[in-house]
Amino acid sequence: MASQKKQAHLLGFIQHGVNSHATGMWRHPKDKVNWDWSRPPYWQHMARTMERGLFDAMFIADELAPYNNYEKSSDACVKYAVQCPTHEPSTLVPIITTATKHLGVGVTLSTAFEHPYSMVRRLSSLDHLSDGRIAWNIVSSYSKSEWDAYGAEMSDRGHRYERMEEYMELCYQLWDSWAPDAIIADKDSGIFADPAKVKEINFEGEFFRSKGRSFCYRSPQGRPVLWQAGSSDRGRDFAAKHAEAIFAVHPNVDRMRQYSDDLNQRLVKTFNRPPGSVKLIYGLQCIVGESRAHAQEKYEQIRANIPLEGALAWISGHFGPDFSTYDLDEYVQNIEIPGIQGLFESIIYAKGGDPITVKEAALYYAMGMGMPITVGTASDIADTLEYYMDEGGADGFMLVATYTPGCFEEFVDLVVPELQRRGRYRTTYPGTTLRENLLAD
């Protein structure tokens, strides 16, 4: 019966900027009509729309500086609004959570240039202010532009994971330093908190040192929901060890199933965690129309807004090489890639493993960061979501934006009711914290 089948989890994937992950959307005639993305009402409206659709969270991606690989400059990113300008993600949290009651917020924050002590303080503060609706997408800065902007020498991937492991260990100690009953608040005695129940951390590691107590008392979730997007072998281990939910981009159902099986095997065999205990959320771009022809027309219009040079600048930033130095007809399979391995795989398998040219790769990636694209009616899209859950092992979907806020309004108005009719989506929020809602079956 349909009621016995897995129900989908949904999240809206955006950035705190003029353009998210569909390059050129600021040009679209339906993009941000009467909205200013740098002002609170736009974000509050998007948040309320997602909450109306019973989404788990708005998930805010981030990048710390404009990509500067393409032609050894960030000119193309500035010129074509390739994830630029982008404002700081955690500043949106109070704006979003005061406009909603249930919607969580996932913030992408890099471990590369911030000490764990201040990271814990910021995330705990946001968890308090949101009444327990925060997730942290743990990343280690991968692009040269970020390291350049912070005046640092870029470290190799293996070194970054060793450092992140130690980073997390210190974060855990700080989050757990306040016992749940540490605060007494006895006005007669004048004792506010019991020092014996607020542990002083004395951490001496290879990369970090910290001596002191966390300045924030225990927040509603204790610690934020921990999110990861590891796709390399080392990244998958890190995700299987630490994450409560994983965001992955795979171009087809076979790759999704391989990833699902691999992650669950690592969970159980390597880290002794229960199978299925980490939610697997796969990226997806949905273009819904009143008819298939209408949806296809919308798809063509979205694709027509992509500037080729901006698309090349984006894949240069994500993957490392300067794609201005390659022939547009060269096959990307022949190019050495130091950047985000998992996302590059989404390009390699975009045509089922057939060769894909630099030009094809850039335009495909610029559409929605290499995520599979489903185009059709609400019924068609619901069919696809069910297929990815039942055959690909997906627990839910990260819905990448096209034009905003319209793409989310259309999904909530058309696709959500169809999923509910099929018994594949909730009709109410099951809990009050993000962890309760996200980890619910």
Side-chain angles (χ1 to χ4, degrees):
M1 289 176 62
S3 61
Q4 296 174 321
K5 291 185 176 180
K6 185 190 294 183
Q7 290 197 334
H9 290 266
L10 297 174
L11 297 96
F13 189 53
I14 54 90
Q15 280 188 288
H16 185 187
V18 69
N19 209 88
S20 293
H21 301 89
T23 308
M25 280 305 97
W26 65 273
R27 306 168 64 196
H28 196 287
K30 288 188 176 179
D31 189 67
K32 300 178 188 67
V33 178
N34 297 324
W35 295 107
D36 179 348
W37 69 270
S38 60
R39 304 298 303 149
Y42 166 74
W43 297 104
Q44 291 170 336
H45 173 75
M46 278 236 284
R48 292 187 186 111
T49 299
M50 292 180 192
E51 185 167 75
R52 183 164 61 83
L54 303 172
F55 284 31
D56 283 311
M58 181 187 292
F59 192 95
I60 309 171
D62 196 32
E63 165 73 17
L64 297 177
Y67 305 121
N68 61 8
N69 306 56
Y70 186 77
E71 296 181 336
K72 297 181 171 56
S73 168
S74 55
D75 282 0
C77 289
V78 173
K79 186 176 182 180
Y80 297 108
V82 180
Q83 297 182 293
C84 178
T86 294
H87 295 179
E88 203 282 334
S90 66
T91 53
L92 282 178
V93 173
I95 289 166
I96 291 165
T97 56
T98 52
T100 55
K101 292 182 179 178
H102 304 282
L103 187 76
V105 187
V107 287
T108 299
L109 298 170
S110 173
T111 61
F113 312 110
E114 182 169 359
H115 193 279
Y117 189 88
S118 64
M119 182 69 80
V120 163
R121 191 181 187 203
R122 187 198 314 188
L123 288 164
S124 293
S125 299
L126 293 173
D127 201 53
H128 278 294
L129 290 171
S130 66
D131 205 18
R133 291 188 276 147
I134 298 302
W136 174 25
N137 180 34
I138 310 160
V139 298
S140 172
S141 294
Y142 61 86
S143 68
K144 177 180 175 293
S145 60
E146 296 175 297
W147 295 80
D148 287 349
Y150 280 83
E153 196 69 34
M154 190 169 182
S155 59
D156 67 77
R157 181 181 281 106
H159 179 269
R160 292 202 294 273
Y161 274 113
E162 288 169 19
R163 187 178 177 278
M164 281 217 301
E165 286 288 352
E166 189 174 292
Y167 198 107
M168 295 310 300
E169 179 55 40
L170 178 49
C171 285
Y172 293 141
Q173 290 188 29
L174 289 164
W175 277 319
D176 295 341
S177 64
W178 282 73
D181 60 347
I183 293 177
I184 299 163
D186 185 339
K187 291 185 179 182
D188 290 338
S189 68
I191 297 173
F192 181 76
D194 182 353
K197 294 183 178 180
V198 185
K199 185 179 178 182
E200 182 175 80
I201 304 306
N202 189 3
F203 189 94
E204 296 250 0
E206 181 184 351
F207 304 100
F208 300 102
R209 299 173 69 182
S210 181
K211 189 177 192 315
R213 293 176 163 116
S214 175
F215 226 0
C216 290
Y217 76 97
R218 188 176 180 84
S219 71
Q221 293 189 117
R223 60 181 69 161
V225 172
L226 298 179
W227 206 288
Q228 236 281 308
S231 46
S232 67
D233 185 63
R234 187 74 186 270
R236 292 182 187 204
D237 270 349
F238 184 87
K241 179 178 179 181
H242 297 282
E244 296 167 87
I246 294 172
F247 168 39
V249 175
H250 294 290
N252 56 49
V253 74
D254 291 336
R255 301 296 295 175
M256 291 178 193
R257 172 50 66 190
Q258 287 174 29
Y259 187 87
S260 301
D261 291 346
D262 180 57
L263 252 296
N264 276 312
Q265 186 175 41
R266 290 173 197 250
L267 278 177
V268 176
K269 292 190 175 179
T270 309
F271 299 104
N272 200 28
R273 298 177 70 184
S277 58
V278 175
K279 294 295 182 187
L280 299 177
I281 309 296
Y282 291 132
L284 185 64
Q285 189 171 59
C286 298
I287 299 168
V288 59
E290 294 164 21
S291 65
R292 289 178 180 175
H294 178 229
Q296 188 63 32
E297 185 182 317
K298 289 171 69 172
Y299 167 78
E300 298 297 343
Q301 186 178 29
I302 288 166
R303 202 169 187 274
N305 284 304
I306 300 171
L308 178 58
E309 190 177 13
L312 290 166
W314 192 15
I315 63 170
S316 297
H318 263 204
F319 302 131
D322 176 1
F323 280 95
S324 72
T325 64
Y326 292 93
D327 190 292
L328 290 176
D329 294 324
E330 182 160 353
Y331 294 130
V332 294
Q333 280 91 339
N334 300 334
I335 299 171
E336 181 73 23
I337 295 297
I340 310 174
Q341 300 298 311
L343 291 180
F344 189 64
E345 279 197 6
S346 74
I347 286 179
I348 287 177
Y349 292 96
K351 293 168 70 175
D354 290 342
I356 182 167
T357 67
V358 167
K359 181 178 179 179
E360 288 174 327
L363 293 175
Y364 171 72
Y365 198 77
M367 185 77 186
M369 211 172 81
M371 299 184 195
I373 304 162
T374 178
V375 181
T377 64
S379 181
D380 292 332
I381 289 172
D383 287 346
T384 301
L385 267 59
E386 287 195 277
Y387 177 57
Y388 289 157
M389 284 193 287
D390 296 341
E391 302 301 326
D395 294 306
F397 303 94
M398 191 76 72
L399 302 175
V400 64
T402 53
Y403 50 84
T404 54
C407 67
F408 293 116
E409 294 168 336
E410 292 161 4
F411 189 96
V412 168
D413 290 340
L414 299 172
V415 182
V416 164
E418 179 64 25
L419 290 169
Q420 290 170 328
R421 277 193 290 274
R422 299 178 184 206
R424 302 306 299 263
Y425 194 60
R426 62 173 60 131
T427 55
T428 186
Y429 282 101
T432 56
T433 68
L434 174 56
R435 182 171 283 114
E436 289 169 340
N437 291 329
L438 180 67
L439 300 185
D441 292 329

